[in-house]
Amino acid sequence: MSAPLHEWNLAPKEAMALQLQLARRLELTDRLAPITHIAGVDIGFEEGGEITRAAVVVLKWDPATAPDLSVVEQVVHREPTRMPYIPGLLSFREIPAALGAFEKLSVMPELVMVDGQGIAHPRRLGVAAHLGLWLDLPTIGIAKSRLYGQHAEVGEQRGDWVPLSTGQETIGAVLRSRTKVKPVYVSPGHRITLETSLAWVLRCLGRTKLPEPTRLADRLASRRDLRK
């Protein structure tokens, strides 16, 4: 893991200013090592939001068997929540626990898929982008709902997509990942382009609307026996 980017004990205005600074450090070009492992990340909360829970699942990438990817490792990490819920600042609330989960891994992935936004964010620093800078790894945000930007209607067939834009800037894609099911919102985080992000999400799609890495991370995070 790379050196720490910043302290976490920030006032909201300080955090917003820092987001603008960090967004300028994002690489939205492809800088990927050969992919052998892909991680899925899902982050939730317990005890009325007092505890942040991060689930990370690492899958072995084998194009011969995709999207039936085998689980290599999975971890859940909990720690006290550091920031209250503030729209637009979720990464400051969620990432500390995610970093704790990555520190527990024995196998580091070359690509990370996050349940959340990449650059499809008012200050271009959603949780996937912010996490990518901390890990210095290529990251993709796959969100179930739109946070920011506008888009046209997307086709009904699996694989159909339209740009997610603000003004003249394309910040993501609205992807129909399963026929006639609500779309997902894909945006690059760090060290990857939108086109490559879409390609990897499509490669990892199984029978559900979510790519297998984030689907399995969500399932791990939702296990009742892990909430005790």
Side-chain angles (χ1 to χ4, degrees), residues 8-138:
W8 292 107
N9 186 23
L10 299 173
K13 286 185 178 180
E14 293 175 319
M16 291 177 188
L18 180 59
Q19 284 179 322
L20 295 172
Q21 296 174 25
L22 293 177
R24 292 194 286 268
R25 296 174 57 177
L26 293 172
E27 298 177 36
L28 299 178
T29 55
D30 289 329
R31 184 163 68 89
L32 294 84
I35 306 298
T36 60
H37 294 90
I38 303 174
V41 180
D42 184 83
I43 299 165
F45 299 89
E46 301 173 357
E47 299 183 18
E50 294 297 317
I51 299 296
T52 307
R53 180 190 64 252
V56 177
V57 178
V58 178
L59 305 176
K60 176 70 175 177
W61 168 254
D62 183 349
T65 60
D68 295 322
L69 309 177
S70 59
V71 176
V72 174
E73 189 174 9
Q74 55 186 26
V75 300
V76 174
H77 175 77
R78 293 174 174 83
E79 64 176 66
T81 302
R82 305 197 190 196
M83 180 177 281
Y85 172 76
I86 301 172
L89 294 179
L90 293 186
S91 64
F92 289 86
R93 181 172 165 86
E94 298 180 348
I95 285 179
L99 294 175
F102 273 89
E103 287 176 357
K104 294 179 177 179
L105 292 177
S106 58
V107 177
M108 287 300 292
E110 294 84 24
L111 178 64
V112 179
M113 295 186 178
V114 182
D115 184 346
Q117 309 290 346
I119 65 166
H121 179 279
R123 289 172 293 279
R124 308 300 183 270
L125 199 81
V127 61
H130 200 166
L131 183 61
L133 285 173
W134 270 94
L135 298 174
D136 193 25
L137 286 173

Side-chain angles (χ1 to χ4, degrees), residues 105-184:
L105 292 177
S106 58
V107 177
M108 287 300 292
E110 294 84 24
L111 178 64
V112 179
M113 295 186 178
V114 182
D115 184 346
Q117 309 290 346
I119 65 166
H121 179 279
R123 289 172 293 279
R124 308 300 183 270
L125 199 81
V127 61
H130 200 166
L131 183 61
L133 285 173
W134 270 94
L135 298 174
D136 193 25
L137 286 173
T139 51
I140 304 170
I142 304 105
K144 303 181 190 74
S145 59
R146 179 180 64 89
L147 173 66
Y148 191 66
Q150 299 80 39
H151 61 88
E153 287 293 324
V154 62
E156 294 288 343
Q157 299 303 308
R158 173 175 165 143
D160 289 345
W161 69 276
V162 294
L164 178 67
S165 305
T166 176
Q168 299 299 312
E169 181 184 3
T170 298
I171 56 175
V174 186
L175 171 67
R176 189 77 67 183
S177 55
R178 188 177 182 186
T179 299
K180 296 183 179 180
V181 171
K182 287 183 179 180
V184 294

